[in-house]
């Protein structure tokens, strides 16, 4: 059973996805990061005509958290995605790059972060631990940073 906190993160991620700049893929992604003080920071994907310069929603949200000096305060993340103009309900999980970015926050926070995944619409939420999404991760701890 998914708790109300996870549902609130998915709701915030869906609200963020409405601001996605995705004219090329037409695939909107939203992310919501829960901090230990109960605040939520959101992000949406931001595509660029030079595709390699595009930013994922999770990266945008976590960079914003870092800009606030709170990267070590992350306790959970919610991610949703789906085709723009469609009612996609299947949960979308973070891409490999985003899993690595989430791992940075997780290791600095000393937590195996829960990652809640949802679709652009619908009630289905998949709950994962980051360690299940990115086993044997390389991160700050491997470099003696923590």
């Amino acid at each position: 059973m998914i708790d109300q906190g996870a549902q609130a993160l998915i709701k915030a991620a869906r609200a963020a996805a409405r601001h996605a700049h995705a004219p090329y893929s037409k695939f909107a992604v939203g992310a919501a990061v829960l901090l230990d003080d109960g605040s939520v920071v959101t992000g949406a994907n931001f595509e660029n005509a030079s595709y390699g310069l595009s930013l994922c929603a999770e990266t945008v949200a976590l960079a914003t958290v870092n800009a606030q000096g709170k990267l070590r305060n992350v306790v959970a993340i919610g991610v949703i995605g789906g085709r723009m103009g469609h009612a996609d309900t299947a949960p979308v999980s973070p891409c490999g790059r985003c899993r690595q970015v989430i791992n940075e926050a997780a290791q600095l926070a000393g937590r195996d972060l829960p990652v809640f995944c949802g679709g652009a619409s619908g009630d289905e939420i998949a709950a994962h631990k980051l360690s299940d999404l990115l086993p044997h991760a390389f991160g700050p701890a491997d470099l003696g940073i923590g």
Side-chain angles (χ1 to χ4, degrees):
M1 175 108 191
I2 301 297
D3 68 16
Q4 288 181 325
Q7 292 171 357
L9 276 178
I10 293 299
K11 183 178 179 180
R14 284 189 179 131
R18 290 196 276 283
H19 302 290
H21 177 71
Y24 309 106
S25 70
K26 306 264 191 264
F27 195 88
V29 180
V33 176
L34 176 65
L35 302 178
D36 58 7
D37 66 2
S39 63
V40 175
V41 176
T42 62
N45 56 323
F46 184 75
E47 294 179 353
N48 188 284
S50 176
Y51 297 146
L53 299 179
S54 296
L55 299 171
C56 296
E58 301 91 324
T59 300
V60 170
L62 286 167
T64 301
V65 167
N66 183 62
Q68 296 173 0
K70 298 181 179 181
L71 196 56
R72 295 174 188 268
N73 303 97
V74 174
V75 296
I77 187 164
V79 179
I80 69 95
R83 297 170 298 157
M84 296 171 104
H86 293 83
D88 294 340
T89 59
V92 170
S93 64
C95 71
R97 178 178 177 267
C98 286
R99 293 173 191 205
Q100 184 65 39
V101 171
I102 295 167
N103 181 63
E104 189 79 8
Q107 284 195 9
L108 290 174
R111 297 179 179 95
D112 189 2
L113 295 178
V115 180
F116 302 105
C117 304
S121 63
D123 295 329
E124 185 178 354
I125 298 174
H128 305 281
K129 291 188 299 183
L130 180 61
S131 62
D132 292 333
L133 293 175
L134 188 65
H136 313 292
F138 179 85
D142 296 293
L143 300 173
I145 301 169

